[in-house]
Amino acid sequence: MLIYSPRIHEFLFKRIREFVAKKKLCDLAPSWQKNMENENNNAQHFLDLIQKSRKGKFKIYIGMSAGVGKTFRMLQEAHSLLKNGIDVKIGYIETHMRKETHELLAGLPIIPRRTIFYKGKELEELDVQAIINLRPEVVIVDELAHTNVEGSKNEKRWQDVLEILEAGINVISAVNIQHIESLNSAVKRITNIDVQERIPDNVLRLADEVVNIDLTSEDLIARLKEGKIYTPDKIQTALTNFFKSEQILQLRELALKEVASQVVRKVENEVPNLHALRHEKLLACISSNDKTAKIVIRKAARLASYYNGSWYVLYVETPQESSTKIALDKQRHLINNFKLAVQLGGEVVKLENKNIADAILATVEEKQITTVCIGKPHLNLFKVILSTTIFRRLLNKLSLSNVDLVILS
């Protein structure tokens, strides 16, 4: 990843001139109008506080893989809450028949699961409506990344959890690091497995508390060999495929980094003294190249998460890529990438312009972007820019605006 980050004094003078101009315009507005705007802002802020207070609190246990003890820890916490007089119930728990974990279910009130018949089989799912009707203070919901049976109200369990939180019920849940959407490429590179069940990053950001259940690779492999994770017939396959020491170490690093970024985000949001720091706004520029667009989107999402900033995805439709000229499969890939960006917490900006650099610079100014992210040279976007003198002009303009340029590989 290459970073071009000049800091030019002229930028300061430019911003000061803009500020003065805006200030003069604001002063021309009638006082009653400004008072009305302030009242509306205050009312909206108070409404946001009320709505936030009505929502349930959300706690997530996160781990580097199966078998680290997330479900075990949730059940331990449930017993502790119950002893302290808290109305806690089990909404959905998957013990995988692990002896130590299964034994902890004893004495805990369990909400019956919803039964669904699908393709001749009787399947069980989380009963969201039963939980909302019973209104426990806390509900335990395992397997946050689970995909619900076809015909369920919500496609994903994390959507069920959000519905429960909206009803004012506190939720404790769990997920493995490989199910985080923006980490999909990194996990695939480490494990050679394309994880299909994933949760959007913004679901993790909604959590009031994220707890990492950490084990060394040696301890985790020892648990596996002792039969505490899988049945004996699956142990050797697990050791050969997923549970390799080098893979576990890399997944452990991802989990630790994720929780660390959550802590940083919490501090920045709750400590007033830090509000004066520069708020990062990232712009991920993509083309119709599906593969590299996904990489740029996911990596930009990770950067935005790390810096606790907001981010946008920009697609510039040139005359060569108008809806009448671009292939249908590319149109479909673009739509899917827009959806991916939204799932990861980004905002999509689509512009029609024959000049890509002009469109980027206009968006940078309008959205007050601090960092522009583009793909490495094999991107169509990059080729278009490099084929002219536009790239040099883009660099010059960004430098004068105090904007960083990140080339993602």
Side-chain angles (χ1 to χ4, degrees):
M1 184 169 69
L2 304 176
I3 300 179
Y4 177 78
S5 177
R7 294 290 181 263
I8 308 297
H9 287 299
E10 290 180 14
F11 166 76
L12 296 176
F13 293 109
K14 178 184 176 184
R15 286 292 184 239
I16 290 170
R17 286 196 299 270
E18 290 175 352
F19 174 77
V20 171
K22 289 178 181 177
K23 183 70 170 64
K24 288 179 179 177
L25 287 173
C26 289
D27 288 342
L28 295 175
S31 59
W32 65 266
Q33 184 178 350
K34 287 188 282 186
N35 289 337
M36 182 67 73
E37 288 174 357
N38 289 335
E39 287 298 325
N40 289 339
N41 289 337
N42 290 336
Q44 185 59 48
H45 177 65
F46 187 60
L47 181 61
D48 291 342
L49 289 175
I50 292 172
Q51 290 174 338
K52 187 175 180 181
S53 67
R54 287 175 178 170
K55 290 182 180 179
K57 297 297 181 183
F58 189 20
K59 182 174 184 177
I60 298 177
Y61 282 102
I62 197 168
M64 58 185 168
S65 76
V68 295
K70 301 181 299 299
T71 304
F72 186 86
R73 186 69 66 86
M74 283 196 298
L75 292 175
Q76 280 187 324
E77 184 167 354
H79 278 286
S80 178
L81 291 170
L82 201 61
K83 287 178 182 177
N84 284 280
I86 303 297
D87 178 16
V88 58
K89 287 181 171 57
I90 303 299
Y92 194 101
I93 278 287
E94 190 60 73
T95 66
H96 299 285
M97 297 309 294
R98 292 166 188 154
K99 186 175 180 295
E100 295 173 343
T101 305
H102 199 75
E103 287 174 350
L104 280 175
L105 281 173
L108 293 174
I110 299 173
I111 297 174
R113 298 176 183 180
R114 184 168 55 95
T115 302
I116 300 176
F117 287 92
Y118 181 69
K119 292 184 177 180
K121 294 182 179 179
E122 184 178 291
L123 303 173
E124 293 182 332
E125 290 287 3
L126 175 73
D127 196 332
V128 178
Q129 195 55 53
I131 292 169
I132 293 173
N133 291 343
L134 288 169
R135 299 195 65 80
E137 290 180 75
V138 180
V139 65
I140 309 295
V141 180
D142 206 356
E143 305 282 352
L144 187 61
H146 170 76
T147 301
N148 292 332
V149 176
E150 191 174 322
S152 299
K153 179 183 178 182
N154 297 314
E155 182 185 353
K156 301 286 187 177
R157 183 163 293 160
W158 60 264
Q159 295 170 318
D160 292 339
V161 166
L162 295 186
E163 192 174 332
I164 294 167
L165 289 168
E166 286 291 338
I169 300 167
N170 304 306
V171 178
I172 300 175
S173 191
V175 69
N176 287 327
I177 194 66
Q178 58 263 36
H179 295 290
I180 308 301
E181 179 64 62
S182 67
L183 293 175
N184 181 253
S185 299
V187 170
K188 187 176 181 180
R189 187 181 67 252
I190 293 168
T191 64
N192 203 30
I193 297 172
D194 187 8
V195 178
Q196 296 302 310
E197 291 187 318
R198 305 190 290 270
I199 67 168
D201 289 47
N202 62 336
V203 173
L204 209 60
R205 294 191 195 109
L206 290 173
D208 298 279
E209 188 176 358
V210 179
V211 179
N212 183 41
I213 306 299
D214 189 36
L215 280 180
T216 65
S217 58
E218 291 82 6
D219 287 341
L220 183 61
I221 290 172
R223 281 177 54 79
L224 176 64
K225 290 179 177 178
E226 291 167 5
K228 294 182 177 180
I229 300 176
Y230 296 130
T231 52
D233 59 305
K234 295 180 180 178
I235 292 175
Q236 190 53 51
T237 304
L239 285 169
T240 305
N241 297 321
F242 190 85
F243 285 79
K244 296 177 182 178
S245 182
E246 63 274 14
Q247 289 186 7
I248 294 169
L249 284 171
Q250 292 177 78
L251 292 173
R252 186 187 185 195
E253 182 184 13
L254 287 180
L256 290 169
K257 282 182 177 179
E258 182 59 43
V259 175
S261 69
Q262 292 290 328
V263 172
V264 170
R265 188 177 300 112
K266 191 174 179 65
V267 170
E268 289 184 349
N269 288 337
E270 296 183 6
V271 179
N273 290 339
L274 293 180
H275 287 175
L277 295 177
R278 182 173 92 154
H279 178 67
E280 296 292 336
K281 288 187 176 182
L282 286 80
L283 181 67
C285 303
I286 66 168
S287 72
S288 57
N289 186 309
D290 177 49
K291 184 178 179 181
T292 48
K294 278 187 170 62
I295 293 172
V296 171
I297 289 170
R298 286 196 170 109
K299 289 194 174 183
R302 295 305 300 165
L303 286 172
S305 176
Y306 180 79
Y307 288 111
N308 191 23
S310 53
W311 67 289
Y312 305 83
V313 168
L314 172 65
Y315 169 67
V316 183
E317 183 183 295
T318 61
Q320 293 77 20
E321 289 198 343
S322 64
S323 57
T324 57
K325 292 182 179 179
I326 192 172
L328 288 175
D329 62 328
K330 285 195 173 185
Q331 290 187 40
R332 187 172 63 253
H333 291 321
L334 265 175
I335 293 170
N336 289 336
N337 283 330
F338 292 159
K339 288 180 180 178
L340 173 64
V342 172
Q343 286 176 352
L344 293 175
E347 180 181 326
V348 175
V349 178
K350 184 181 177 182
L351 299 177
E352 293 182 15
N353 198 314
K354 63 181 180 181
N355 191 307
I356 293 176
D358 283 348
I360 293 173
L361 292 170
T363 307
V364 165
E365 186 174 354
E366 180 188 345
K367 303 293 185 182
Q368 296 182 319
I369 299 298
T370 61
T371 304
V372 173
C373 303
I374 61 177
K376 64 181 180 180
H378 69 261
L379 266 172
N380 289 339
L381 169 66
F382 206 92
K383 286 181 180 178
V384 170
I385 295 174
L386 285 179
S387 64
T388 66
T389 59
I390 296 174
F391 185 60
R392 184 180 299 172
R393 176 168 160 262
L394 180 64
L395 289 179
N396 291 337
K397 288 283 187 179
L398 291 179
S399 69
L400 292 172
S401 301
N402 198 34
V403 176
D404 299 340
L405 177 63
V406 179
I407 301 175
L408 299 170
S409 58

